[in-house]
Coordinates of all heavy atoms in Angstrom, one line a residue:
M1 N 43.6 -6.6 -7.6 CA 43.7 -5.3 -6.9 C 44.9 -5.3 -6.0 O 45.3 -6.4 -5.4 CB 42.5 -5.1 -6.0 CG 41.2 -5.0 -6.8 SD 39.9 -4.5 -5.7 CE 39.3 -3.1 -6.6
S2 N 45.5 -4.2 -5.8 CA 46.6 -4.1 -4.9 C 46.2 -4.1 -3.5 O 45.1 -3.8 -3.1 CB 47.4 -2.8 -5.3 OG 46.7 -1.7 -4.8
E3 N 47.2 -4.3 -2.6 CA 46.9 -4.3 -1.2 C 46.4 -2.9 -0.7 O 45.7 -2.8 0.3 CB 48.1 -4.7 -0.4 CG 48.6 -6.1 -0.6 CD 49.9 -6.4 0.2 OE1 50.0 -5.8 1.3 OE2 50.7 -7.2 -0.4
H4 N 46.8 -1.9 -1.3 CA 46.6 -0.5 -0.9 C 45.4 0.2 -1.6 O 45.4 1.4 -1.6 CB 47.9 0.3 -1.0 CG 49.0 -0.3 -0.3 ND1 49.1 -0.3 1.1 CD2 50.1 -1.0 -0.8 CE1 50.2 -0.9 1.4 NE2 50.8 -1.4 0.3
S5 N 44.5 -0.6 -2.3 CA 43.5 0.1 -3.0 C 42.4 0.6 -2.0 O 42.2 0.1 -0.9 CB 42.8 -0.9 -3.9 OG 42.2 -2.0 -3.2
E6 N 41.8 1.7 -2.4 CA 40.9 2.4 -1.6 C 39.4 1.9 -2.0 O 39.2 1.6 -3.1 CB 40.9 3.9 -1.9 CG 42.2 4.6 -1.4 CD 42.1 6.1 -1.7 OE1 41.1 6.7 -1.6 OE2 43.2 6.6 -2.0
Q7 N 38.6 2.0 -1.0 CA 37.2 1.7 -1.2 C 36.6 2.8 -2.0 O 36.6 4.0 -1.5 CB 36.4 1.5 0.1 CG 35.0 1.1 -0.1 CD 34.3 0.8 1.2 OE1 35.0 0.5 2.2 NE2 33.0 0.9 1.2
I8 N 35.9 2.6 -3.1 CA 35.4 3.6 -4.0 C 33.9 3.9 -3.6 O 33.5 5.0 -3.5 CB 35.5 3.2 -5.4 CG1 36.9 3.1 -5.9 CG2 34.7 4.2 -6.3 CD1 37.2 2.5 -7.2
V9 N 33.2 2.8 -3.3 CA 31.8 3.0 -3.0 C 31.6 2.8 -1.5 O 32.0 1.8 -0.9 CB 30.9 2.0 -3.7 CG1 29.5 2.1 -3.3 CG2 31.1 2.1 -5.2
E10 N 30.9 3.8 -0.8 CA 30.7 3.7 0.6 C 29.3 3.2 0.9 O 29.0 2.6 1.9 CB 30.9 5.1 1.2 CG 32.3 5.5 1.2 CD 32.5 6.8 2.0 OE1 31.7 7.1 2.8 OE2 33.5 7.5 1.7
F11 N 28.3 3.4 0.0 CA 26.9 3.1 0.3 C 26.2 2.9 -1.1 O 26.4 3.7 -2.0 CB 26.3 4.2 1.1 CG 24.8 3.9 1.5 CD1 24.6 3.0 2.5 CD2 23.8 4.4 0.8 CE1 23.2 2.7 2.9 CE2 22.5 4.1 1.1 CZ 22.2 3.3 2.2
I12 N 25.3 1.9 -1.2 CA 24.5 1.8 -2.3 C 23.1 2.1 -1.9 O 22.5 1.5 -0.9 CB 24.5 0.3 -2.9 CG1 26.0 0.1 -3.4 CG2 23.5 0.1 -4.0 CD1 26.2 -1.3 -3.9
D13 N 22.4 3.0 -2.5 CA 21.1 3.5 -2.1 C 20.0 2.7 -2.8 O 19.0 2.4 -2.1 CB 21.0 5.0 -2.5 CG 19.7 5.6 -2.0 OD1 19.4 5.6 -0.8 OD2 18.9 6.1 -2.9
T14 N 20.1 2.5 -4.1 CA 19.0 1.8 -4.8 C 19.6 0.8 -5.8 O 20.6 1.0 -6.4 CB 18.2 2.8 -5.6 OG1 17.8 3.9 -4.8 CG2 17.0 2.2 -6.3
I15 N 18.9 -0.4 -5.8 CA 19.2 -1.4 -6.8 C 18.1 -1.6 -7.7 O 16.9 -1.8 -7.3 CB 19.5 -2.8 -6.0 CG1 20.6 -2.7 -5.1 CG2 19.7 -3.9 -7.1 CD1 20.8 -3.9 -4.1
Y16 N 18.3 -1.4 -9.0 CA 17.3 -1.5 -10.0 C 17.4 -2.9 -10.7 O 18.4 -3.2 -11.2 CB 17.5 -0.4 -11.1 CG 17.2 1.0 -10.6 CD1 18.3 1.8 -10.1 CD2 15.9 1.5 -10.5 CE1 18.0 3.0 -9.6 CE2 15.7 2.8 -10.0 CZ 16.7 3.5 -9.6 OH 16.5 4.8 -9.1
L17 N 16.3 -3.6 -10.7 CA 16.2 -4.9 -11.3 C 15.3 -4.9 -12.5 O 14.1 -4.5 -12.3 CB 15.8 -6.0 -10.3 CG 16.6 -6.2 -9.1 CD1 16.0 -7.2 -8.2 CD2 18.0 -6.7 -9.5
P18 N 15.7 -5.3 -13.7 CA 14.8 -5.4 -14.8 C 14.0 -6.6 -14.7 O 14.4 -7.7 -14.3 CB 15.8 -5.5 -16.0 CG 17.1 -6.1 -15.4 CD 17.1 -5.6 -14.0
V19 N 12.7 -6.5 -14.9 CA 11.7 -7.6 -14.9 C 10.8 -7.5 -16.1 O 10.5 -6.4 -16.6 CB 10.9 -7.6 -13.6 CG1 11.8 -7.7 -12.4 CG2 10.1 -6.3 -13.4
I20 N 10.3 -8.6 -16.5 CA 9.4 -8.6 -17.7 C 7.9 -8.3 -17.2 O 7.2 -7.6 -17.9 CB 9.4 -10.0 -18.4 CG1 10.8 -10.1 -19.0 CG2 8.3 -10.1 -19.4 CD1 11.1 -11.5 -19.6
D21 N 7.5 -8.9 -16.1 CA 6.2 -8.7 -15.5 C 6.3 -8.1 -14.1 O 6.6 -8.9 -13.2 CB 5.4 -10.0 -15.6 CG 4.0 -9.8 -15.1 OD1 3.7 -9.0 -14.2 OD2 3.1 -10.5 -15.7
K22 N 6.0 -6.8 -13.9 CA 6.3 -6.2 -12.7 C 5.4 -6.8 -11.6 O 5.9 -7.1 -10.5 CB 6.1 -4.7 -12.8 CG 6.5 -3.9 -11.6 CD 6.5 -2.4 -11.9 CE 7.0 -1.6 -10.8 NZ 7.1 -0.1 -11.2
E23 N 4.1 -6.9 -11.8 CA 3.2 -7.5 -10.8 C 3.5 -8.9 -10.4 O 3.5 -9.2 -9.2 CB 1.7 -7.4 -11.3 CG 1.2 -6.0 -11.4 CD 1.2 -5.3 -10.1 OE1 0.8 -5.9 -9.0 OE2 1.5 -4.1 -10.1
E24 N 3.9 -9.7 -11.4 CA 4.3 -11.1 -11.1 C 5.6 -11.1 -10.2 O 5.7 -11.8 -9.3 CB 4.5 -11.9 -12.4 CG 4.9 -13.3 -12.1 CD 5.0 -14.0 -13.5 OE1 4.2 -13.8 -14.4 OE2 5.9 -14.9 -13.6
S25 N 6.5 -10.2 -10.6 CA 7.7 -10.1 -9.8 C 7.5 -9.6 -8.4 O 8.1 -10.1 -7.5 CB 8.7 -9.2 -10.6 OG 9.0 -9.7 -11.8
I26 N 6.6 -8.6 -8.2 CA 6.3 -8.1 -6.9 C 5.8 -9.3 -6.0 O 6.2 -9.5 -4.9 CB 5.3 -7.0 -7.0 CG1 6.0 -5.7 -7.6 CG2 4.7 -6.6 -5.6 CD1 5.0 -4.6 -7.9
N27 N 4.9 -10.0 -6.6 CA 4.3 -11.2 -5.9 C 5.4 -12.2 -5.5 O 5.4 -12.7 -4.4 CB 3.2 -11.8 -6.7 CG 1.9 -10.9 -6.8 OD1 1.7 -10.1 -6.0 ND2 1.2 -11.1 -7.9
W28 N 6.3 -12.5 -6.4 CA 7.3 -13.4 -6.2 C 8.2 -13.0 -5.0 O 8.5 -13.7 -4.1 CB 8.2 -13.6 -7.4 CG 9.2 -14.7 -7.3 CD1 9.0 -16.1 -7.5 CD2 10.5 -14.6 -6.8 NE1 10.1 -16.8 -7.3 CE2 11.1 -15.9 -6.8 CE3 11.3 -13.6 -6.3 CZ2 12.4 -16.2 -6.4 CZ3 12.6 -13.8 -5.9 CH2 13.1 -15.1 -5.9
F29 N 8.7 -11.7 -5.0 CA 9.5 -11.2 -4.0 C 8.8 -11.2 -2.6 O 9.4 -11.4 -1.6 CB 10.0 -9.7 -4.3 CG 11.2 -9.7 -5.2 CD1 11.0 -9.6 -6.6 CD2 12.4 -9.6 -4.7 CE1 12.1 -9.6 -7.4 CE2 13.6 -9.6 -5.5 CZ 13.4 -9.6 -6.9
Q30 N 7.5 -10.9 -2.6 CA 6.7 -11.0 -1.4 C 6.6 -12.4 -0.9 O 6.8 -12.6 0.3 CB 5.4 -10.3 -1.6 CG 5.4 -8.8 -1.8 CD 4.1 -8.2 -2.1 OE1 3.2 -8.8 -2.8 NE2 3.9 -7.0 -1.7
E31 N 6.2 -13.3 -1.7 CA 5.9 -14.7 -1.3 C 7.2 -15.5 -1.0 O 7.3 -16.2 0.0 CB 5.2 -15.4 -2.4 CG 3.7 -14.9 -2.6 CD 3.1 -15.6 -3.8 OE1 3.6 -16.6 -4.3 OE2 2.0 -15.1 -4.2
K32 N 8.2 -15.3 -1.8 CA 9.4 -16.2 -1.7 C 10.4 -15.5 -0.7 O 11.1 -16.3 0.0 CB 10.1 -16.4 -3.0 CG 9.3 -17.0 -4.1 CD 8.9 -18.4 -3.7 CE 8.1 -19.0 -4.9 NZ 7.6 -20.3 -4.5
L33 N 10.5 -14.2 -0.7 CA 11.5 -13.6 0.2 C 11.0 -12.8 1.3 O 11.7 -12.3 2.2 CB 12.4 -12.6 -0.7 CG 13.1 -13.3 -1.9 CD1 13.9 -12.2 -2.6 CD2 14.0 -14.4 -1.4
G34 N 9.6 -12.7 1.4 CA 9.0 -12.0 2.5 C 9.2 -10.5 2.5 O 9.0 -9.8 3.5
L35 N 9.5 -9.9 1.3 CA 9.7 -8.4 1.2 C 8.4 -7.7 1.1 O 7.4 -8.3 0.7 CB 10.6 -8.1 0.0 CG 12.0 -8.7 0.0 CD1 12.8 -8.3 -1.2 CD2 12.8 -8.3 1.3
K36 N 8.4 -6.5 1.6 CA 7.1 -5.7 1.6 C 7.3 -4.6 0.5 O 8.2 -3.8 0.5 CB 6.9 -5.0 3.0 CG 6.9 -5.9 4.1 CD 5.6 -6.6 4.2 CE 5.4 -7.4 5.5 NZ 5.2 -8.8 5.3
W37 N 6.3 -4.6 -0.4 CA 6.2 -3.6 -1.5 C 5.5 -2.3 -1.0 O 4.4 -2.4 -0.4 CB 5.5 -4.2 -2.7 CG 5.4 -3.3 -3.9 CD1 4.3 -2.6 -4.3 CD2 6.4 -2.9 -4.8 NE1 4.6 -1.9 -5.4 CE2 5.9 -2.1 -5.7 CE3 7.8 -3.3 -4.9 CZ2 6.7 -1.6 -6.8 CZ3 8.5 -2.8 -5.9 CH2 8.0 -1.9 -6.9
N38 N 6.1 -1.2 -1.1 CA 5.5 0.1 -0.6 C 4.8 0.9 -1.7 O 4.4 2.0 -1.4 CB 6.5 0.9 0.2 CG 7.5 1.5 -0.8 OD1 7.4 1.5 -2.0 ND2 8.6 2.1 -0.2
G39 N 4.6 0.3 -2.8 CA 4.0 1.0 -3.9 C 5.0 1.5 -4.9 O 4.6 1.8 -6.1
H40 N 6.2 1.6 -4.5 CA 7.3 2.1 -5.4 C 8.5 1.2 -5.4 O 9.2 1.1 -6.4 CB 7.8 3.5 -4.9 CG 6.7 4.5 -4.9 ND1 6.1 5.1 -6.0 CD2 6.0 5.1 -3.8 CE1 5.1 5.9 -5.7 NE2 5.0 5.9 -4.4
C41 N 8.8 0.6 -4.3 CA 10.0 -0.3 -4.2 C 9.9 -1.2 -3.0 O 8.9 -1.1 -2.2 CB 11.3 0.6 -4.1 SG 11.3 1.6 -2.6
F42 N 10.8 -2.1 -2.8 CA 11.0 -2.9 -1.6 C 12.0 -2.2 -0.7 O 13.1 -2.0 -1.1 CB 11.5 -4.3 -2.0 CG 10.5 -5.1 -2.7 CD1 10.7 -5.3 -4.1 CD2 9.4 -5.7 -2.1 CE1 9.8 -6.1 -4.8 CE2 8.5 -6.4 -2.8 CZ 8.7 -6.7 -4.2
N43 N 11.6 -1.8 0.4 CA 12.5 -1.2 1.4 C 13.0 -2.2 2.3 O 12.3 -2.9 3.0 CB 11.7 -0.1 2.2 CG 12.7 0.8 3.0 OD1 13.7 0.3 3.4 ND2 12.3 2.0 3.2
L44 N 14.3 -2.4 2.4 CA 14.9 -3.4 3.2 C 15.2 -3.0 4.6 O 15.8 -3.8 5.4 CB 16.3 -3.9 2.5 CG 16.2 -4.3 1.0 CD1 17.5 -4.7 0.5 CD2 15.2 -5.5 0.9
G45 N 14.7 -1.9 5.0 CA 14.9 -1.4 6.4 C 16.1 -0.6 6.5 O 16.1 0.6 6.6
S46 N 17.3 -1.2 6.5 CA 18.5 -0.5 6.5 C 19.3 -0.9 5.2 O 19.3 -2.1 4.8 CB 19.4 -0.8 7.7 OG 19.7 -2.1 7.7
G47 N 19.9 0.1 4.6 CA 20.6 -0.3 3.3 C 19.8 0.1 2.1 O 18.9 0.9 2.2
P48 N 20.1 -0.5 1.0 CA 19.4 -0.1 -0.3 C 18.0 -0.5 -0.4 O 17.5 -1.4 0.4 CB 20.3 -0.8 -1.3 CG 20.8 -2.0 -0.6 CD 21.0 -1.6 0.8
V49 N 17.3 0.1 -1.3 CA 15.9 -0.3 -1.7 C 16.1 -1.0 -3.0 O 17.0 -0.8 -3.7 CB 14.9 0.9 -1.8 CG1 14.8 1.6 -0.4 CG2 15.3 1.9 -2.8
I50 N 15.1 -1.9 -3.3 CA 15.1 -2.6 -4.6 C 13.9 -2.0 -5.4 O 12.8 -2.1 -5.0 CB 14.9 -4.1 -4.4 CG1 16.1 -4.6 -3.6 CG2 14.8 -4.8 -5.7 CD1 16.0 -6.1 -3.2
S51 N 14.2 -1.5 -6.6 CA 13.2 -1.0 -7.5 C 13.1 -1.9 -8.7 O 14.2 -2.4 -9.2 CB 13.5 0.4 -8.0 OG 13.4 1.3 -6.9
L52 N 11.9 -2.2 -9.1 CA 11.7 -3.1 -10.3 C 11.4 -2.2 -11.5 O 10.6 -1.3 -11.4 CB 10.6 -4.0 -10.0 CG 10.7 -4.9 -8.8 CD1 9.5 -5.8 -8.6 CD2 12.0 -5.7 -8.8
V53 N 12.1 -2.5 -12.6 CA 11.9 -1.7 -13.8 C 11.4 -2.7 -14.9 O 12.1 -3.7 -15.2 CB 13.2 -1.1 -14.3 CG1 13.0 -0.4 -15.6 CG2 13.8 -0.2 -13.2
E54 N 10.2 -2.5 -15.4 CA 9.6 -3.4 -16.3 C 10.2 -3.1 -17.7 O 10.3 -2.0 -18.1 CB 8.1 -3.1 -16.4 CG 7.3 -4.3 -17.0 CD 5.8 -4.3 -16.7 OE1 5.2 -3.2 -16.8 OE2 5.3 -5.3 -16.5
V55 N 10.6 -4.2 -18.4 CA 11.3 -4.1 -19.7 C 10.6 -5.1 -20.6 O 9.8 -5.9 -20.2 CB 12.8 -4.5 -19.6 CG1 13.5 -3.5 -18.7 CG2 12.9 -5.9 -19.1
K56 N 10.8 -4.9 -21.9 CA 10.3 -5.8 -22.9 C 11.0 -7.1 -22.9 O 12.2 -7.1 -22.7 CB 10.3 -5.1 -24.3 CG 9.5 -3.9 -24.4 CD 9.5 -3.3 -25.8 CE 8.7 -2.1 -25.9 NZ 8.7 -1.4 -27.2
N57 N 10.3 -8.1 -23.3 CA 10.9 -9.5 -23.3 C 12.1 -9.6 -24.2 O 13.1 -10.3 -23.9 CB 9.8 -10.5 -23.7 CG 10.3 -11.9 -23.5 OD1 11.3 -12.2 -22.8 ND2 9.6 -12.8 -24.1
N58 N 12.2 -8.9 -25.3 CA 13.2 -9.1 -26.3 C 14.4 -8.1 -26.1 O 15.2 -7.9 -27.0 CB 12.7 -9.0 -27.7 CG 12.0 -7.7 -28.0 OD1 11.9 -6.8 -27.1 ND2 11.6 -7.5 -29.2
T59 N 14.4 -7.4 -25.0 CA 15.5 -6.4 -24.8 C 16.8 -7.1 -24.5 O 16.9 -8.0 -23.7 CB 15.1 -5.5 -23.6 OG1 13.8 -4.9 -23.9 CG2 16.1 -4.4 -23.5
N60 N 17.8 -6.6 -25.2 CA 19.2 -7.2 -25.0 C 19.9 -6.3 -24.0 O 20.0 -5.1 -24.3 CB 19.9 -7.3 -26.3 CG 21.2 -8.0 -26.2 OD1 21.6 -8.5 -25.1 ND2 22.0 -7.9 -27.2
Y61 N 20.4 -6.8 -23.0 CA 21.2 -6.0 -22.0 C 22.7 -6.3 -22.0 O 23.1 -7.4 -21.9 CB 20.7 -6.2 -20.6 CG 19.2 -5.8 -20.4 CD1 18.2 -6.7 -20.5 CD2 18.9 -4.5 -20.3 CE1 16.9 -6.3 -20.4 CE2 17.6 -4.0 -20.1 CZ 16.6 -4.9 -20.2 OH 15.3 -4.5 -20.1
T62 N 23.4 -5.2 -22.2 CA 24.9 -5.4 -22.2 C 25.4 -4.3 -21.2 O 25.1 -3.1 -21.4 CB 25.5 -5.2 -23.6 OG1 24.9 -6.1 -24.5 CG2 27.0 -5.4 -23.5
H63 N 26.1 -4.8 -20.2 CA 26.7 -3.8 -19.3 C 28.2 -3.8 -19.4 O 28.8 -4.9 -19.5 CB 26.4 -4.2 -17.8 CG 24.9 -4.3 -17.6 ND1 24.2 -3.1 -17.4 CD2 24.0 -5.3 -17.5 CE1 22.9 -3.4 -17.2 NE2 22.8 -4.7 -17.3
R64 N 28.8 -2.6 -19.5 CA 30.2 -2.5 -19.6 C 30.7 -1.7 -18.4 O 30.1 -0.7 -18.0 CB 30.6 -1.7 -20.9 CG 30.2 -2.5 -22.1 CD 30.6 -1.8 -23.3 NE 30.1 -2.5 -24.5 CZ 30.1 -2.0 -25.7 NH1 30.6 -0.8 -25.9 NH2 29.7 -2.7 -26.7
F65 N 31.8 -2.2 -17.9 CA 32.4 -1.5 -16.7 C 33.8 -1.0 -17.1 O 34.4 -1.5 -17.9 CB 32.5 -2.4 -15.5 CG 31.2 -2.8 -15.0 CD1 30.6 -4.0 -15.4 CD2 30.5 -2.0 -14.2 CE1 29.4 -4.4 -14.9 CE2 29.2 -2.4 -13.7 CZ 28.7 -3.6 -14.1

């Protein structure tokens, strides 16, 4: 990047994480990281929320930027 590049993103509202077992993942985030599940997502207080998206085990993910 050049010295004069502009910031493109000012704020991230939601982070979506793919998980195979949503309930197991909720428990892990609560036990290991102390996050609170509100029934829809983990609210971090200030900043983004974390939403879990249940996916099939054999799903292949490819992200292109």
